[in-house]
Amino acid sequence: MAYHMLVYVVAFLPATILLYQLVPQKFRYIVLLCANCIFFCSFSKGLIIYLIAAILVAYFFARWIEKIGEKKSDGQKAVTKAKRKVLALGIVLNLLVLVVLKYTNFFAKSFIDLTNVFGSKWKFAPIRFLVPIGISFYTLEIISYLTDVYRGTIKAEHNFAKVALYLSFFPQTMEGPIARFGATADDLYAGRGITFNNLKFGYQRIAWGLFKKMVVADRFYYMVSYIFSNYQKLDGSIMLVGAMAYTAQLYMEFSGGMDIIIGSGQIFGINLPENFRQPFASKNASEFWRRWHITLGTFFKDYIFYPVSLAKPVKNFAKKVKNVFGRNVSKFVAPTVALFCVWICNGLWHGAQWTFIFYGMYYFVIIFIETITEAPVKKLTDKLHINRESNVYKAFQSVKLFFIVIIGEMFFRAESLKAGFIMFGKIFTDFHISYFWNHRFKLHLDAYDLIVALVGVLVVVIVGFIRERKPGLRERIDRKILPVRWIVWYACILTVIFFGAYGSGYSVVELIYAGY
């Protein structure tokens, strides 16, 4: 029962809406809790026990931290130290489950492969783990909740239902976004009635998400799968096309999924955080990651980057570097160490593969280079009298970023790190436009599907351009006369119905980020 499936859009969600609206306000949270259980069990069945255990840990450890903080007679230092121990224990317990289920085989195989280099004859037999849906997302939400209680930015919640709703809200289960307790818990529990505007705007956004997912992303799926599975017998032009197609598929699917999720929440009056903000309008990789998967980026910034950069060992190391190399070098130490930790965690969070770790290190290097060259580049452009605000310079930045992104996504999607480097190498050593032209319709994407997909991409690009220049596009459409509003939204709905990749000749394409 994924978000883009018919059973969700026309059965599960409407049934939940109807039941939610029929019951008294004080019991509406129970309807959401039941919906959460049904949705979760539709994927993970008995593995809901992991989610229940995680909720219990979050609830009781937050209360424990709060209780320790009330012991004023023990002295501030002793209280802080005790709270820190409980926080660490709570985080470790949750991370331990995540690491065992998702990373045991990866670490074990990597260790055995390493020993085989030195002559051992050990063999690796993978252990089959059953992993509950959404564990990567709710684990991060638990960490943020416990840390915020420890820091005193929020109070520990005494209402168990609120904590349970926060960690299990069904639209967020598969792909996030990673919400903060203080921003969403009250809305989840309030049980406000469904208004016409929320219902209208919610379903409008769901329709837009379905357009991205079913009209555009799913059409690229078979071509992308074919190219990345047959990279050894295809040339560099196909590799580049495959990387671009996968980038389009990933963005359309993930951002489309977020539209469906946020739209679903909006129907119930629950404002979930935005996860995308026109990322391809960015000037560099740093800005791109402030606009792409925003909630993951802000999580890493608040709970890894800042704590690491302010940690005593890092500060002491920066002082030693200053004594040897001077202030100009030492000022980069703390941010660089913290940035490395962020990107190694980012890579591992996406999955237990070396391609994901490489992906994290790839962006660490790119962003580090951008950081240390920012001032020299500004001096150079000023010296050459290059206008950094001109359209030509902005176009150069956009093209540069585009290639940075598609190369990164190529490694992200590659079957192995070796495959990624082979594909990357072919772009520079075996590139023939004529080869692509001769094979363009042999890549599991015929002329009709290609035209529909490209037109869909163009529509999303135009809408993104308009939103970047002047936010509030939906609200402006809503102020138009009735025929205009109907034309816009019925066009979106009918496009999904007539041009969506489903039915005869298509199979259901699983959500990419649901596996992370």
Side-chain angles (χ1 to χ4, degrees):
M1 193 166 55
Y3 310 124
H4 62 292
M5 291 182 178
L6 198 63
V7 65
Y8 176 86
V9 178
V10 303
F12 177 77
L13 185 58
T16 305
I17 292 168
L18 181 62
L19 189 59
Y20 179 90
Q21 191 67 5
L22 286 175
V23 303
Q25 182 175 357
K26 64 180 180 179
F27 297 123
R28 284 173 178 161
Y29 76 91
I30 298 175
V31 174
L32 290 183
L33 278 174
C34 291
N36 297 346
C37 291
I38 292 168
F39 189 89
F40 191 94
C41 289
S42 73
F43 287 98
S44 297
K45 299 181 175 64
L47 296 182
I48 195 172
I49 192 70
Y50 284 110
L51 177 61
I52 294 170
I55 294 169
L56 288 169
V57 167
Y59 178 76
F60 286 110
F61 271 74
R63 295 286 303 275
W64 190 0
I65 292 169
E66 180 186 60
K67 190 174 181 180
I68 293 171
E70 292 170 351
K71 296 179 180 179
K72 304 294 184 183
S73 59
D74 292 351
Q76 188 59 44
K77 285 187 177 180
V79 167
T80 301
K81 187 176 180 180
K83 284 169 62 180
R84 190 181 296 124
K85 286 181 179 179
V86 176
L87 172 67
L89 180 60
I91 291 174
V92 166
L93 282 175
N94 277 282
L95 285 178
L96 188 62
V97 176
L98 178 66
V99 169
V100 168
L101 294 180
K102 289 189 68 174
Y103 301 97
T104 297
N105 286 325
F106 171 70
F107 288 129
K109 185 178 184 304
S110 298
F111 175 75
I112 289 172
D113 288 345
L114 180 63
T115 59
N116 288 343
V117 172
F118 296 99
S120 77
K121 301 297 182 182
W122 292 351
K123 292 184 178 180
F124 175 70
I127 304 170
R128 187 172 179 266
F129 290 103
L130 296 175
V131 184
I133 195 78
I135 187 171
S136 296
F137 291 98
Y138 69 68
T139 297
L140 296 193
E141 288 190 331
I142 291 171
I143 291 172
S144 74
Y145 173 55
L146 293 179
T147 305
D148 287 349
V149 171
Y150 164 78
R151 291 174 176 174
T153 53
I154 62 171
K155 293 182 178 180
E157 182 54 59
H158 290 212
N159 186 332
F160 182 78
K162 268 193 184 182
V163 180
L165 280 169
Y166 164 66
L167 292 174
S168 66
F169 187 40
F170 67 88
Q172 295 176 265
T173 300
M174 294 178 71
E175 296 190 313
I178 301 161
R180 304 294 172 90
F181 183 86
T184 61
D186 288 340
D187 286 345
L188 283 161
Y189 190 74
R192 300 186 189 95
I194 294 170
T195 65
F196 175 73
N197 272 345
N198 281 342
L199 188 66
K200 174 181 66 177
F201 281 121
Y203 262 106
Q204 284 174 358
R205 185 139 188 193
I206 289 171
W208 179 237
L210 289 172
F211 172 83
K212 290 181 182 177
K213 163 68 177 166
M214 299 179 70
V215 176
V216 184
D218 287 359
R219 273 196 161 75
F220 284 123
Y221 171 77
Y222 291 103
M223 182 179 77
V224 168
S225 298
Y226 174 78
I227 291 172
F228 279 83
S229 298
N230 297 276
Y231 63 92
Q232 290 182 322
K233 58 185 181 182
L234 301 172
D235 95 322
S237 64
I238 306 293
M239 300 299 101
L240 187 60
V241 169
M244 290 190 290
Y246 178 67
T247 302
Q249 180 200 357
L250 180 64
Y251 174 68
M252 294 298 175
E253 182 180 297
F254 195 19
S255 67
M258 286 300 111
D259 290 323
I260 298 170
I261 292 162
I262 293 171
S264 298
Q266 188 173 7
I267 290 172
F268 299 98
I270 298 158
N271 296 311
L272 298 174
E274 294 290 343
N275 224 15
F276 289 89
R277 187 169 56 84
Q278 293 78 252
F280 290 96
S282 307
K283 298 181 181 69
N284 53 44
S286 300
E287 185 183 353
F288 177 84
W289 276 96
R290 291 195 295 271
R291 292 168 172 256
W292 175 290
H293 210 338
I294 295 168
T295 58
L296 181 65
T298 53
F299 176 90
F300 284 138
K301 180 183 71 175
D302 293 344
Y303 302 107
I304 295 180
F305 185 87
Y306 288 140
V308 170
S309 60
L310 296 174
K312 283 186 179 179
V314 175
K315 285 185 174 181
N316 292 336
F317 180 60
K319 286 179 182 178
K320 292 179 181 179
V321 171
K322 183 180 179 181
N323 293 334
V324 178
F325 298 102
R327 185 179 177 280
N328 288 334
V329 175
S330 67
K331 68 181 180 181
F332 290 109
V333 170
T336 301
V337 172
L339 190 68
F340 176 84
C341 293
V342 163
W343 282 105
I344 196 73
C345 289
N346 187 302
L348 280 169
W349 180 85
H350 280 94
Q353 292 179 210
W354 284 108
T355 50
F356 295 139
I357 295 174
F358 178 85
Y359 179 75
M361 292 299 93
Y362 171 81
Y363 272 105
F364 164 70
V365 172
I366 295 292
I367 294 173
F368 174 72
I369 291 171
E370 286 180 352
T371 302
I372 63 173
T373 59
E374 184 178 1
V377 168
K378 187 179 184 306
K379 286 182 181 179
L380 180 63
T381 53
D382 289 343
K383 187 176 181 180
L384 297 174
H385 304 291
I386 296 173
N387 182 6
R388 291 162 63 90
E389 297 301 316
S390 69
N391 291 331
V392 173
Y393 191 81
K394 287 180 179 179
F396 163 74
Q397 288 179 307
S398 297
V399 171
K400 178 192 69 175
L401 176 65
F402 178 73
F403 280 101
I404 287 173
V405 172
I406 65 170
I407 295 302
E409 298 302 345
M410 185 176 69
F411 279 97
F412 186 86
R413 175 61 176 79
E415 294 182 344
S416 65
L417 201 53
K418 180 181 177 181
F421 279 110
I422 290 173
M423 294 175 72
F424 180 70
K426 282 192 172 188
I427 293 174
F428 297 97
T429 60
D430 186 22
F431 190 96
H432 307 283
I433 293 293
S434 59
Y435 185 92
F436 165 71
W437 188 253
N438 294 333
H439 292 77
R440 65 191 185 281
F441 296 134
K442 300 177 183 178
L443 302 173
H444 294 264
L445 192 71
D446 61 22
Y448 168 78
D449 283 335
L450 179 61
I451 291 169
V452 171
L454 292 179
V455 170
V457 170
L458 182 62
V459 169
V460 173
V461 168
I462 291 170
V463 170
F465 179 78
I466 294 170
R467 291 178 63 189
E468 181 68 15
R469 290 180 65 102
K470 196 173 181 181
L473 178 61
R474 278 198 303 164
E475 289 75 10
R476 294 202 303 277
I477 293 173
D478 196 53
R479 290 193 293 269
K480 301 293 183 183
I481 59 175
L482 184 63
V484 173
R485 300 200 303 268
W486 279 48
I487 288 170
V488 170
W489 296 115
Y490 271 98
C492 186
I493 294 168
L494 292 174
T495 299
V496 173
I497 292 172
F498 288 114
F499 297 104
Y502 64 92
S504 179
Y506 297 99
S507 59
V508 175
V509 178
E510 300 297 332
L511 294 165
I512 296 173
Y513 259 80
Y516 300 143

